[in-house]
Amino acid sequence: MPKPTALPADLFAREMRGPRYTSYPTALSFTDAFGVPDYVGAVRELACGTSPLSLYVHVPFCASNCFYCGCHRIVTRSRDRIDRYFDALLAELRLQSALIGRGPEIVQIHFGGGTPNSFNVGQFARLLATVQRRFRVAEAGRLELSMEVDPRICEPSDLFGWRALGFNRLSFGIQDTNEDVQRAINRVQNGDHIAMLTATARRAGFASLNYDLVYGLPLQTPARLAGTLDFVLDQKPERVAAYHYAHLPHRFPAQGAISEADLPDAEQRQVLRQMIHGRLTLAGYQAIGLDHYALPTDPLAEAHRDGTMRRNFQGYSTMQGCDLIGIGASSISQVNGCFSQNLVNVESYLEAIEQGRLACARGYRQTADDRLRADIIESIMCRGEVDFERLGRQHGEALADRLAPELIKLKALDAAGQWLESGRWGLKVKESGRSLLRVVAMVFDRHLAAGGDAPRYSRLS
Ligand code: SF4
């Protein structure tokens, strides 16, 4: 393997173990002290407000078990099971709409999983019709309607069906195109099929496609990854997300099927990451925040350039100032400074919804300190910099004194200022430190410092 440009190995290892900060605090700080009455109170205020809404729908079913996966999912092909869950989603939409009404406008709907395309086109049509009937939804040109797609169970007719329903963004789970790696992760999928789907999606009118890749997988080497990157650059999706694989078999039992001897070590992972970064940026992709890339004409790249890009549970987003309503088992809502997570266990979720109850199981209400730190961490994750003066004006206090302990920790991370500059004015992560964004963000994470959060990983696929 080529020698990586060295970032301190201990910091890179810390980065790999860090939270992805799709929220602050992370979901590990949620407690059952926050329940349905708290959520209802937060949502009632939302109904009177004017901020736009993003709707997330979680579909937890998958046709087979990818060994690397860290998502909330159930492996089944039972149509009865999928259909029962589908009916529960419709019921939950009715429950939520009774609280929210047609006040705030939904500007984004995203289906994640699991495998959202476990539902057929007719089910998506019914679900979207329910959303249109029950909520105020932005008109077609302003609505972002997107889905994560497992290419293995996707047919060309699905793409035309989704497009006819108004879907305008798709994200294909690619991970790695090498057959040895695919067999080691139990996710064998044919590159020709993915290329055909990509071409068909473009013919159907999808202007924005994303490919998800994963690095650090078993048997992945630079030579094998080169083949995957050749494939990606041939297809030229508008966006590429390259997630790091975290091997945590004690938390995700399916990962136990992966032989640890087959995993690249920390230095090799750094090489793989640098290779992805180098090939994609050389091909014209703009690097965005943490492990994301977009063609310069893509709205996400534009939002990144003009400093308006945001980060939420769905990752990086062009949507500003949105509250988020999560529907389905394990989904998280973010409303008026409150986080609320639905029951993770699908049977428990179904039971609550079928009895006419909201499925909120736990959550968290942000304090003023959390809100400040959330803004700092989001700024690090999106822009790699924080302007203390500007942020201090927003929060009504001088930050340099208040954050003096954090400034000392920042200096300790990089005393020579090789990849990180910091001072009473704020901080800036240099290009050479881009792969250490989480390490910098963790400095401001009080929950982590207090032991409230263990290192964790969110979505890997
Ligand atoms: S990686 Fe995606 S398709 Fe595979 S088990 Fe996980 S959620 Fe399902």
Side-chain angles (χ1 to χ4, degrees):
M1 277 196 176
K3 204 130 183 77
T5 311
L7 279 168
D10 60 325
L11 291 185
F12 192 70
R14 200 187 302 173
E15 171 80 14
M16 296 294 103
R17 289 198 305 272
R20 297 188 65 81
Y21 288 119
T22 52
S23 71
Y24 178 78
T26 70
L28 290 186
S29 290
F30 298 177
T31 72
D32 57 12
F34 185 101
V36 171
D38 301 288
Y39 176 69
V40 169
V43 169
R44 285 241 159 87
E45 284 174 42
L46 177 72
C48 314
T50 53
S51 58
L53 260 191
S54 174
L55 185 69
Y56 171 77
V57 183
H58 189 73
V59 184
F61 304 108
C62 296
S64 64
N65 194 18
C66 309
F67 292 154
Y68 61 90
C69 180
C71 299
H72 294 301
R73 87 289 193 198
I74 290 178
V75 178
T76 184
R77 294 180 189 230
S78 159
R79 280 322 305 180
D80 286 350
R81 214 168 167 194
I82 293 170
D83 292 349
R84 183 182 167 203
Y85 183 85
F86 174 79
D87 289 341
L89 288 182
L90 297 186
E92 190 185 358
L93 283 169
R94 289 192 288 270
L95 289 172
Q96 296 274 6
S97 72
L99 295 173
I100 298 166
R102 297 179 64 88
E105 183 182 52
I106 294 179
V107 294
Q108 182 183 40
I109 305 174
H110 180 71
F111 291 83
T115 304
N117 54 319
S118 302
F119 288 160
N120 57 41
V121 173
Q123 286 176 311
F124 281 113
R126 276 182 65 201
L127 200 145
L128 290 171
T130 301
V131 173
Q132 288 283 359
R133 233 183 359 261
R134 297 261 168 186
F135 298 85
R136 189 159 71 87
V137 181
E139 68 216 23
R142 289 192 304 111
L143 177 69
E144 182 177 304
L145 185 48
S146 58
M147 186 192 326
E148 292 156 18
V149 175
D150 183 342
R152 295 171 299 174
I153 59 165
C154 178
E155 296 301 329
S157 58
D158 296 329
L159 298 166
F160 286 101
W162 298 333
R163 188 71 194 106
L165 292 174
F167 280 90
N168 43 28
R169 291 186 190 284
L170 297 178
S171 176
F172 289 118
I174 309 295
Q175 330 314 3
D176 192 298
T177 60
N178 179 272
E179 274 186 38
D180 295 331
V181 176
Q182 290 188 350
R183 270 193 293 274
I185 59 174
N186 196 37
R187 186 183 174 114
V188 176
Q189 49 188 8
N190 182 297
D192 291 344
H193 182 65
I194 296 169
M196 180 274 291
L197 291 176
T198 301
T200 308
R202 296 204 188 291
R203 270 209 316 284
F206 285 94
S208 182
L209 301 177
N210 175 76
Y211 278 9
D212 276 354
L213 306 180
V214 181
Y215 69 95
L217 292 173
L219 302 182
Q220 220 172 27
T221 61
R224 289 180 172 125
L225 184 63
T228 298
L229 292 171
D230 288 344
F231 176 80
V232 171
L233 294 178
D234 276 351
Q235 303 305 318
K236 259 307 173 53
E238 282 69 25
R239 299 181 189 179
V240 178
Y243 297 101
H244 166 250
Y245 169 63
H247 190 63
L248 300 168
H250 57 286
R251 285 190 56 199
F252 308 116
Q255 294 183 353
I258 291 176
S259 163
E260 294 193 8
D262 291 340
L263 290 172
D265 64 22
E267 186 175 318
Q268 291 164 334
R269 287 200 304 267
Q270 206 174 149
V271 173
L272 296 172
R273 190 195 171 282
Q274 287 172 335
M275 192 172 159
I276 292 170
H277 183 81
R279 290 282 309 271
L280 291 180
T281 51
L282 194 65
Y285 282 87
Q286 186 177 318
I288 286 173
L290 179 73
D291 294 341
H292 279 64
Y293 300 85
L295 292 175
T297 48
D298 187 88
L300 193 65
E302 288 168 5
H304 182 247
R305 283 198 300 276
D306 67 23
T308 57
M309 189 177 78
R310 305 301 302 265
R311 187 158 176 83
N312 62 24
F313 287 107
Q314 293 158 28
Y316 288 115
S317 169
T318 55
M319 300 292 163
Q320 294 176 56
C322 276
D323 285 294
L324 175 68
I325 300 294
I327 303 286
S330 80
S331 286
I332 298 175
S333 301
Q334 181 174 4
V335 178
N336 282 330
C338 293
F339 301 115
S340 171
Q341 183 170 31
N342 274 352
L343 289 154
V344 171
N345 180 281
V346 171
E347 281 307 314
S348 305
Y349 166 81
L350 291 171
E351 199 180 303
I353 297 296
E354 287 169 356
Q355 290 173 2
R357 293 183 282 117
L358 287 168
C360 166
R362 61 193 193 123
Y364 185 87
R365 188 184 302 276
Q366 283 178 315
T367 63
D369 182 71
D370 289 328
R371 281 195 288 277
L372 168 65
R373 288 170 190 277
D375 284 350
I376 291 172
I377 288 174
E378 187 181 36
S379 187
I380 294 168
M381 299 302 287
C382 290
R383 292 175 283 286
E385 61 184 25
V386 185
D387 178 342
F388 282 180
E389 198 180 309
R390 188 184 59 76
L391 207 60
R393 277 199 303 277
Q394 278 172 23
H395 286 265
E397 65 175 309
L399 297 187
D401 289 334
R402 174 167 172 187
L403 297 172
E406 283 80 1
L407 283 172
I408 292 169
K409 287 184 194 163
L410 289 175
K411 284 287 179 220
L413 280 180
D414 183 20
Q418 285 181 323
W419 58 271
L420 172 66
E421 293 171 349
S422 60
R424 291 179 63 79
W425 51 271
L427 70 91
K428 182 170 177 53
V429 181
K430 296 181 183 175
E431 183 56 33
S432 56
R434 176 184 286 280
S435 58
L436 295 177
L437 289 180
R438 287 185 272 184
V439 168
V440 178
M442 279 189 272
V443 166
F444 295 91
D445 186 340
R446 260 181 123 155
H447 295 259
L448 198 62
D453 279 354
R456 73 184 293 268
Y457 300 83
S458 56
R459 182 172 170 71
L460 296 178
S461 66

